[in-house]
């Protein structure tokens, strides 16, 4: 599994100009972050400004802001009806400008969410395009239906969408169907039309001129549809071979880079759906000038079937294999364990369960810290999702009517059609729902967890009395303070930031890897990281124990920095405590 040393040297090259390699990013999902004053139970932009000091204190240098544009919210803002305007529930354009300015004062850059595979059906372009003679008709993908054997009209092809949905909607006014890979209120744009690309360039320029430092590009490897032919039969996203990572898609990314992005000091991180390593290499190859880095999904799907929907057994060895592949194949990675579409990582890979009254598992904190060690010792730009730094867990709802996520409801509908019993549907939805990540931020133990004054748009997890920012702020042993320590450790360490990645050992619950930085033929820095993904002690095999030597830099099980008595005693027996994570400087 290890990488030849020449490649390691390539990996070790530091591009100091790339500010985004040198900073820690933090994703804000605005509707759940912080409401200001007495408003409507939604987070907003003044709320974000209010919390900038907390982000600075954590060590954040980049914010990825999920959509705040005008939107009817069929998919919580990922359905944009005006790219140039701020939705009133988040504030005004003046608030947004103030956010750029206040963040800049603290040396925090902001990247915007660029959602351009589709717009809202309420976008002016789409409304106009419903008229077949409009110049906007070709902004979207309209198509006549096929005639079924019974003479009725049926959709143009057999594709299925990302929400397990039908992808064609018939529009009475037009007499044709339009394509929507997501919800029917999210019609796909037509990237064969140069006028669409022209408009997108204007949107990019607008936000870069306002002060954006780049973009997180939503589902950016599926925007170009090469053909509309039937897809191969598939359980999941049927038809994807006609639009995933197509040559036309690469060309558009290069064009946006050449004509707009290259003129600014900015970067892009692509969200790339079902991307494989070869596609990723093309998308991120520096010389091709497409994306600077990308979010892939494979590491979060090692214990899931059909994307993330159905759980299966976790194995640390599988996780290390997947991580090693991505770490070693790409020059630079976007590192993440959580975002607004994924379950909370401490509930997913850690000990994130809570008792009925919300009291967390005895290893909740330690496992959350171990996952911090993992995220902050990988090569790439770490993206922390709001609440991850305090170990927030999956929601504790008892029934589907508490769930807002359009995807969960769509999945439920499909499973019902397939006669899957209710208890199983609910078990799978609980494990996969995107609302797990979207419950409001738990700032304190007061009313509505300090998130808002009115009824929150989505129920707050009842464990907020135990898991919240305020109670962790001054507790040196908290998850929050561990994150701060890990961030500081990484930020002051060239090897943890830029060193090559080398897997050492893994079994079903133990994982050991190294980061190495040095000039060819010369001794350089080496760090060894060992993580126990279980509530049982883990024995380190003799052959791997040799690398756990030198200075213990950090352990989550005892003190933060320095040698821990407990580790000292355990070391001679080559034992990692339950959920322990350690970093050694060799
Ligand atoms: C990916 C986003 O992260 C997700 O939240 C959204 O539903 C889809 N893209 C569609 O925009």
């Amino acid at each position: 599994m290890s990488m030849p040393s020449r490649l390691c040297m390539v990996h070790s090259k530091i591009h100091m100009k790339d500010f985004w390699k040198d900073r820690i990013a933090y994703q804000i999902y605005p509707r759940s972050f912080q409401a200001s004053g007495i408003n409507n139970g939604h987070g907003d932009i003044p709320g974000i400004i209010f919390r900038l000091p907390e982000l600075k204190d954590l060590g954040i240098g980049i914010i990825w802001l999920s959509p705040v544009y005008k939107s009817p919210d069929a998919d919580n803002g990922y359905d944009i009806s005006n790219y140039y305007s701020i939705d009133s529930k988040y504030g005004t354009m003046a608030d947004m400008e103030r956010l750029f300015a206040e963040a800049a004062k603290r040396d925090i850059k902001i990247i915007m969410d660029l959602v351009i595979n589709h717009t809202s059906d309420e976008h002016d372009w789409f409304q106009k395009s419903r008229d077949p003679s409009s110049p906007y008709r070709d902004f979207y993908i309209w198509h006549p239906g096929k005639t079924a054997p019974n003479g009725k009209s049926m959709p143009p092809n057999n594709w299925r969408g990302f929400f397990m949905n039908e992808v064609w909607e018939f529009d009475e006014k037009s007499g044709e169907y339009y394509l929507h890979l997501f919800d029917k209120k999210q019609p796909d744009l037509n990237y064969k039309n140069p006028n669409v690309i022209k408009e997108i360039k204007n949107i990019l320029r607008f936000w870069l001129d306002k002060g954006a430092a780049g973009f997180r590009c939503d589902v950016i490897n599926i925007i170009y549809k090469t053909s509309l032919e039937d897809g191969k039969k598939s359980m999941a996203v049927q038809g994807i071979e006609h639009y995933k990572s197509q040559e036309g898609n690469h060309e558009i990314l290069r064009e946006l880079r050449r004509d707009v992005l290259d003129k600014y000091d900015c970067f892009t991180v692509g969200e790339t759906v079902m991307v494989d390593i070869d596609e990723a290499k093309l998308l991120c190859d520096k010389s091709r000038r497409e994306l600077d880095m990308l979010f892939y999904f494979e590491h979060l799907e090692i214990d899931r079937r059909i994307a993330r929907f159905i759980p299966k057994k976790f194995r640390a060895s599988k996780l290390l294999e997947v991580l090693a592949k991505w770490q070693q194949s790409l020059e630079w990675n976007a590192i993440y364990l959580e975002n607004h579409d994924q379950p909370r990582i401490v509930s997913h890979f850690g000990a994130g369960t809570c008792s009925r009254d919300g009291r967390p598992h005895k290893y909740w904190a330690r496992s959350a810290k171990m996952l911090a060690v993992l995220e902050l010792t990988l090569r790439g730009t770490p993206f922390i999702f709001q609440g991850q730094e305090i170990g927030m867990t999956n929601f504790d709802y008892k029934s589907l009517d508490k769930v807002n996520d359009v995807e969960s409801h769509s999945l439920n509908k499909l499973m019902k059609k397939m006669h899957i019993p209710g208890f199983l549907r609910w078990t799978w939805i609980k494990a996969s729902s995107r609302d797990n990540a979207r419950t409001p931020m738990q700032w304190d133990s007061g009313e509505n967890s300090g998130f808002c004054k009115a009824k929150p748009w989505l129920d707050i997890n009842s464990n907020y009395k135990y898991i919240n920012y305020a109670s962790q702020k001054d507790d040196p042993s908290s998850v929050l303070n561990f994150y701060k320590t890990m961030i500081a450790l990484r930020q002051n360490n060239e090897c943890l930031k830029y060193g090559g990645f080398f897997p050492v050992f893994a079994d079903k619950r133990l994982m050991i890897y190294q980061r190495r930085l040095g000039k060819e033929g010369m001794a350089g820095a080496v760090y060894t990281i060992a993580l126990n993904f279980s509530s049982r002690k883990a024995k380190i095999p003799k052959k791997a124990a040799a690398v756990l030597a030198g200075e213990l830099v950090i352990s989550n099980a005892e003190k933060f920095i320095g040698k821990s008595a407990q580790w000292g005693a355990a070391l001679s027996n080559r034992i990692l405590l339950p959920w322990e994570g350690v970093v050694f400087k060799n």
Side-chain angles (χ1 to χ4, degrees):
M1 270 214 280
S2 71
M3 172 168 78
S5 68
R6 250 182 60 70
L7 195 50
C8 163
M9 294 312 139
V10 174
H11 272 195
S12 304
K13 272 203 185 134
I14 301 167
H15 302 277
M16 293 313 287
K17 210 168 116 276
D18 298 333
F19 69 85
W20 37 272
K21 289 187 170 173
D22 206 34
R23 292 169 177 244
I24 306 285
Y26 185 92
Q27 183 192 351
I28 292 184
Y29 192 65
R31 76 183 47 225
S32 299
F33 189 60
Q34 175 69 71
S36 70
I38 306 163
N39 70 6
N40 55 8
H42 277 85
D44 53 26
I45 294 171
I48 298 173
I49 297 172
F50 176 71
R51 292 296 182 180
L52 285 175
E54 279 81 353
L55 299 188
K56 185 69 196 168
D57 187 43
L58 181 60
I60 297 307
I62 297 169
I63 290 172
W64 151 22
L65 190 63
S66 277
V68 287
Y69 319 95
K70 195 164 165 29
S71 163
D73 275 346
D75 186 19
N76 289 359
Y78 284 85
D79 50 317
I80 299 171
S81 56
N82 187 336
Y83 291 86
Y84 299 102
S85 129
I86 300 293
D87 198 285
S88 59
K89 73 173 144 329
Y90 295 123
T92 61
M93 190 57 87
D95 290 327
M96 188 63 216
E97 284 162 359
R98 203 157 57 84
L99 174 58
F100 278 126
E102 290 296 321
K105 272 190 209 161
R106 295 168 174 86
D107 190 28
I108 296 177
K109 310 215 180 229
I110 297 180
I111 61 169
M112 302 297 284
D113 214 315
L114 186 73
V115 187
I116 55 168
N117 174 65
H118 43 265
T119 67
S120 162
D121 65 337
E122 295 180 33
H123 194 292
D124 197 39
W125 300 336
F126 185 76
Q127 285 308 317
K128 288 184 173 142
S129 90
R130 293 177 67 201
D131 170 0
S133 63
S134 157
Y136 285 92
R137 183 69 172 175
D138 282 345
F139 265 51
Y140 296 85
I141 302 175
W142 290 99
H143 209 278
K146 283 194 208 158
T147 310
N150 62 5
K152 282 198 177 153
S153 165
M154 60 186 270
N157 66 27
N158 69 354
W159 295 3
R160 281 200 83 80
F162 289 92
F163 293 158
M164 305 275 175
N165 54 314
E166 306 287 337
V167 299
W168 293 99
E169 183 71 10
F170 187 73
D171 183 53
E172 291 291 343
K173 181 169 172 206
S174 300
E176 285 191 332
Y177 290 84
Y178 66 86
L179 178 73
H180 59 92
L181 293 180
F182 295 88
D183 189 68
K184 68 176 181 210
K185 284 186 68 65
Q186 295 169 292
D188 282 47
L189 284 163
N190 173 16
Y191 279 90
K192 289 192 171 161
N193 179 352
N195 289 328
V196 169
I197 302 175
K198 222 191 247 167
E199 291 288 353
I200 300 301
K201 288 181 191 167
N202 289 337
I203 294 168
L204 293 179
R205 286 190 197 99
F206 176 84
W207 287 104
L208 290 165
D209 288 340
K210 282 244 176 271
F215 299 93
R216 174 268 184 186
C217 309
D218 192 66
V219 296
I220 201 64
N221 63 329
I222 60 162
I223 61 177
Y224 185 88
K225 282 77 184 174
T226 301
S227 94
L228 297 179
E229 280 162 36
D230 275 348
K232 284 190 284 217
K233 284 262 172 281
S234 155
M235 272 291 280
V237 193
Q238 190 161 283
I240 194 164
E241 66 276 19
H242 296 291
Y243 55 82
K244 182 173 68 123
S245 305
Q246 304 287 295
E247 186 44 36
N249 207 126
H250 289 293
E251 278 165 22
I252 293 165
L253 290 175
R254 290 197 287 270
E255 184 175 338
L256 296 180
R257 168 78 75 158
R258 186 191 64 224
D259 293 355
V260 184
L261 298 163
D262 264 351
K263 311 209 179 327
Y264 296 80
D265 187 19
C266 68
F267 74 98
T268 52
V269 47
E271 183 208 28
T272 46
V273 183
M274 294 184 182
V275 72
D276 65 32
I277 201 83
D278 293 326
E279 294 163 4
K281 280 186 191 160
L282 292 178
L283 288 160
C284 291
D285 179 339
K286 246 183 153 9
S287 66
R288 288 167 58 93
R289 317 281 307 125
E290 295 184 16
L291 296 169
D292 291 304
M293 55 182 150
L294 54 77
F295 293 119
Y296 60 88
F297 295 82
E298 200 181 351
H299 62 309
L300 296 179
E301 291 171 359
I302 53 151
D303 59 347
R304 294 286 192 265
R305 287 173 229 277
I306 317 185
R308 64 175 196 291
F309 295 121
I310 303 176
K312 73 172 191 220
K313 222 176 166 43
F314 172 89
R315 289 188 71 87
S317 52
K318 182 70 194 162
L319 181 59
L320 185 60
E321 183 192 316
V322 169
L323 287 174
K325 178 175 81 182
W326 288 91
Q327 288 275 299
Q328 296 193 331
S329 303
L330 296 184
E331 199 269 333
W332 196 252
N333 273 271
I335 309 293
Y336 78 106
L337 297 176
E338 288 187 21
N339 66 29
H340 64 292
D341 293 332
Q342 295 289 336
R344 291 288 185 176
I345 197 63
V346 68
S347 301
H348 186 180
F349 287 168
T353 50
C354 293
S355 63
R356 277 177 154 268
D357 69 346
R359 207 177 290 268
H361 187 283
K362 69 172 172 175
Y363 291 132
W364 155 75
R366 197 189 283 170
S367 65
K369 292 178 198 171
M370 184 277 285
L371 291 161
V373 176
L374 171 66
E375 171 150 6
L376 291 155
T377 56
L378 294 175
R379 181 186 158 88
T381 303
F383 284 75
I384 295 168
F385 179 66
Q386 67 185 42
Q388 182 183 339
E389 75 278 26
I390 56 167
M392 279 177 62
T393 66
N394 280 355
F395 66 60
D396 56 349
Y397 306 150
K398 301 283 177 282
S399 63
L400 188 63
D401 55 330
K402 291 283 179 194
V403 174
N404 165 281
D405 179 14
V406 57
E407 181 190 71
S408 302
H409 287 283
S410 186
L411 180 64
N412 184 52
K413 231 163 72 191
L414 177 73
M415 292 194 294
K416 220 170 167 175
K417 253 202 213 155
M418 294 161 73
H419 305 291
I420 294 176
F423 80 92
L424 210 51
R425 297 202 304 269
W426 181 229
T427 306
W428 291 345
I429 285 174
K430 273 198 297 190
S432 70
S433 175
R434 304 187 302 175
D435 279 359
N436 281 315
R438 298 174 180 187
T439 59
M441 183 71 189
Q442 296 169 197
W443 288 109
D444 59 41
S445 59
E447 187 194 10
N448 294 330
S449 73
F451 163 67
C452 66
K453 299 242 164 29
K455 184 175 160 39
W457 74 276
L458 187 67
D459 277 4
I460 293 166
N461 194 315
S462 53
N463 66 20
Y464 76 93
K465 300 254 184 227
Y466 300 100
I467 302 177
N468 65 67
Y469 185 94
S471 66
Q472 295 190 25
K473 191 172 183 317
D474 299 319
D475 171 2
S477 69
S478 67
V479 176
L480 176 67
N481 279 311
F482 191 80
Y483 262 92
K484 282 187 203 166
T485 307
M486 276 308 300
I487 288 173
L489 175 70
R490 178 189 177 92
Q491 290 309 83
N492 291 313
N493 188 310
E494 294 297 290
C495 180
L496 290 181
K497 275 195 277 188
Y498 300 111
F501 180 94
F502 299 87
V504 174
F505 173 84
D507 59 20
K508 59 181 191 254
R509 52 211 178 91
L510 177 66
M511 168 194 289
I512 305 177
Y513 55 90
Q514 288 191 323
R515 301 291 309 281
R516 297 186 206 152
L517 183 73
K519 292 214 176 82
E520 205 153 3
M522 285 170 65
V526 179
Y527 283 80
T528 303
I529 295 94
L531 309 170
N532 178 3
F533 285 81
S534 80
S535 293
R536 288 165 41 202
K537 289 182 181 167
K539 183 113 181 152
I540 295 162
K542 254 202 188 118
K543 60 176 182 186
V547 296
L548 295 179
E551 178 195 345
L552 174 65
V553 181
I554 198 160
S555 160
N556 64 343
E558 274 289 284
K559 297 177 195 131
F560 294 154
I561 303 277
K563 293 193 191 339
S564 116
Q566 211 167 350
W567 168 258
L571 179 62
S572 50
N573 297 325
R574 308 194 314 274
I575 299 290
L576 275 188
L577 298 174
W579 299 104
E580 185 166 17
V582 291
V583 179
F584 268 91
K585 183 169 191 249
N586 300 101

